Amino acid sequence: MNKITQAIVFLSLAGPGIVGNILVFMRYVYTSALGTEKRPIDLILIHLAFSNLIIICSTGVTDIVTVFYFRNFLGDIGCKTMVYLARMARGLSICTTCLLSVVQAVTISPRTTIWTKLKPQTSCQVLPFLVLFWIVNVLISSNLLSYIKAGSGWNRSVAATFIGHCYMLPSRHIIKWFFLSLMTLRDVIFQSLMGWSSGSMALHLYKHHKHVLYLHSSRSANNSPPEIRATWSVLILMACFLFFYWVDFILSFYTGFTVTHDSTLLNIKVFLEFGYASFSPYVLISRDVHPPHVLHAH
């Protein structure tokens, strides 16, 4: 019964997450392809939805299968692929969420500030950043390909760490700390940028709120301009990302420090790993309730 409950929990997150990200992906692909206005932020949202789909499919789906004890169904190649994709897509999600936050902060910044010069005007100006994110995260996660093994390919005489459906073999300390330092540096840089951009957007929203109160206009208060609605959605995304990231970080630190392998903690960690990927598309859908500009044209 416990295994069935775990499968239901995983499916309740993975199923809606896949549907939500596909909806966001298709919505912004449609807008970019047929819309008259090519917004750079649309490409970022397409990439974020695609990264989230990789996370859910590589982490959630494989964990649903392993709930029913099919621990070796992947094999060595399958284990390497799934763990590598999950780690790489997680990094892509961090970088893409940061880029979304920074672009939105620059977009709503006053025209008199120097930051307006950094505002991307076309999708082509955003594309090099996305390519860079792929290069960085492909390299940072490359060490996993050498140390991930399936249960059937693992020599029991060698100590290994069980990571849900595969085993991670011990690596040399130099290699381990080198890649760990790269991951830490990536997270610190991008989360610092998130913090700056989120603070900037929060300040702008506060000034906007004061302006609305000053005007005493119910129309202005009830019908926020599109950039304000978009800013609120990005801020909510930032809050969700930071919540899932830091709770997962604290839990990972605890389990690593205490060397515990409690199945309940492992299930919570899996939930945290793809919770943001499943929740984030619905933040975008709930805030972006207006039809695309191309529909108004018709």
Side-chain angles (χ1 to χ4, degrees), residues 281-292:
Y282 294 99
V283 174
L284 298 171
I285 292 172
S286 64
R287 287 288 172 174
D288 192 17
V289 294
H290 297 281

Side-chain angles (χ1 to χ4, degrees), residues 29-264:
V29 166
Y30 174 79
T31 303
S32 298
L34 300 180
T36 56
E37 183 183 2
K38 309 292 185 181
R39 299 189 307 167
I41 206 167
D42 290 348
L43 181 59
I44 300 175
L45 293 173
I46 291 171
H47 190 263
L48 180 61
F50 181 69
S51 301
N52 288 339
L53 283 171
I54 297 177
I55 293 174
I56 296 172
C57 292
S58 59
T59 302
V61 174
T62 51
D63 281 299
I64 291 171
V65 178
T66 54
V67 160
F68 296 101
Y69 296 104
F70 297 116
R71 299 203 181 276
N72 299 326
F73 82 104
L74 289 172
D76 257 2
I77 295 178
C79 266
K80 291 178 187 292
T81 302
M82 291 296 104
V83 175
Y84 178 78
L85 286 176
R87 178 73 64 83
M88 183 190 66
R90 178 181 174 275
L92 288 173
S93 180
I94 293 173
C95 298
T96 308
T97 303
C98 173
L99 181 62
L100 174 64
S101 178
V102 171
V103 169
Q104 185 62 35
V106 171
T107 299
I108 66 172
S109 62
R111 298 183 179 227
T112 55
T113 63
I114 192 175
W115 300 114
T116 54
K117 297 180 180 179
L118 300 177
K119 178 183 175 181
Q121 303 298 326
T122 64
S123 299
C124 293
Q125 293 175 323
V126 171
L127 189 59
F129 291 99
L130 300 180
V131 173
L132 177 63
F133 295 161
W134 275 88
I135 294 173
V136 169
N137 287 288
V138 163
L139 294 177
I140 287 180
S141 305
S142 60
N143 67 314
L144 293 174
L145 297 176
S146 301
Y147 300 105
I148 297 297
K149 291 286 184 182
S152 58
W154 170 46
N155 186 351
R156 295 298 192 277
S157 63
V158 180
T161 303
F162 180 61
I163 53 173
H165 46 274
C166 305
Y167 290 87
M168 179 177 289
L169 302 179
S171 59
R172 289 187 296 175
H173 285 290
I174 295 177
I175 296 177
K176 176 182 178 180
W177 286 106
F178 174 73
F179 283 96
L180 184 61
S181 299
L182 290 178
M183 291 176 57
T184 303
L185 180 63
R186 177 200 62 194
D187 291 1
V188 168
I189 290 174
F190 285 99
Q191 290 202 48
S192 297
L193 289 172
M194 282 187 204
W196 166 80
S197 56
S198 299
S200 176
M201 287 187 288
L203 180 61
H204 180 83
L205 289 175
Y206 173 72
K207 291 180 178 179
H208 171 76
H209 179 67
K210 289 184 63 177
H211 180 64
V212 169
L213 292 178
Y214 176 76
L215 293 176
H216 296 286
S217 171
S218 59
R219 178 178 176 82
S220 298
N222 294 329
N223 297 314
S224 300
E227 62 270 14
I228 296 300
R229 293 196 301 270
T231 303
W232 271 115
S233 65
V234 172
L235 277 176
I236 295 173
L237 279 180
M238 295 303 102
C240 293
F241 173 84
L242 292 174
F243 169 77
F244 284 110
Y245 177 90
W246 283 106
V247 175
D248 180 40
F249 176 82
I250 293 170
L251 185 62
S252 298
F253 182 82
Y254 170 76
T255 54
F257 184 77
T258 58
V259 197
T260 181
H261 300 289
D262 184 19
S263 60
T264 302

